[in-house]
Amino acid sequence: MSNTLRSLTGIKPTGKPHIGNYLGAIKPALALCDTYDAFYFIADYHALTTHKDGTELSDMTYEIAATWLALGLDPDKVTFYRQSDIPEIFELTWILSCYAPKGLLNRAHAYKAFVDQNKEQNRQEDEGINLGLFSYPV
């Protein structure tokens, strides 16, 4: 077994990059690049849970990639990729989804937040919630 330290993080391209992206994800991730075997990705397929416009999603994907690079990500030091470029991710997701208990997914933070919001607005609990959002943790 290897003693190599690894870091993996992804960021959904869901809008214009902002200081919260930098402080919450990018800056801490960049700090690990010299001591970790780092894998950083743009979670473009995960963004489909809320963004359906292909052109807009493509633009946001390029914007977040440019942001990472402009803030110091060195592609020679880390593996930097777009989620949709790796078809095996979705094969693994299917396999894991066949083992993931529904009760556990019911407690996922993104799903619970949408359910709570629907309840507060007197809507059906699952209104506007798609399977992608529900199974996001898988």
Side-chain angles (χ1 to χ4, degrees):
M1 178 178 242
S2 172
N3 289 331
T4 302
L5 297 172
R6 291 196 174 84
S7 173
L8 170 69
T9 195
I11 188 166
K12 284 181 11 177
T14 55
K16 294 281 184 197
H18 52 77
I19 192 70
N21 297 132
Y22 175 67
L23 294 174
I26 298 171
K27 183 180 179 184
L30 293 176
L32 299 176
C33 292
D34 291 326
T35 54
Y36 282 67
D37 186 14
F39 297 83
Y40 300 139
F41 68 97
I42 299 171
D44 57 334
Y45 274 166
H46 277 75
L48 289 173
T49 61
T50 55
H51 286 80
K52 307 294 190 239
D53 183 289
T55 301
E56 180 183 43
L57 184 56
S58 178
D59 290 346
M60 290 187 299
T61 297
Y62 283 111
E63 286 175 3
I64 200 68
T67 300
W68 276 84
L69 295 168
L71 292 172
L73 183 131
D74 182 350
D76 293 328
K77 288 185 176 180
V78 305
T79 301
F80 187 49
Y81 62 97
R82 184 175 55 182
Q83 181 185 40
S84 60
D85 287 336
I86 316 280
E88 292 84 358
I89 290 171
F90 304 101
E91 294 173 16
L92 179 58
T93 300
W94 175 254
I95 293 166
L96 293 174
S97 71
C98 291
Y99 289 89
K102 182 182 177 294
L104 186 61
L105 296 176
N106 287 341
R107 296 188 300 274
H109 73 280
Y111 174 69
K112 284 178 25 178
F114 269 83
V115 167
D116 290 345
Q117 184 179 26
N118 281 341
K119 286 179 182 178
E120 288 171 9
Q121 296 177 3
N122 295 317
R123 296 188 299 224
Q124 293 285 331
E125 283 189 12
D126 286 333
E127 185 176 325
I129 297 174
N130 57 51
L131 181 60
L133 176 74
F134 180 73
S135 65
Y136 182 84
V138 176

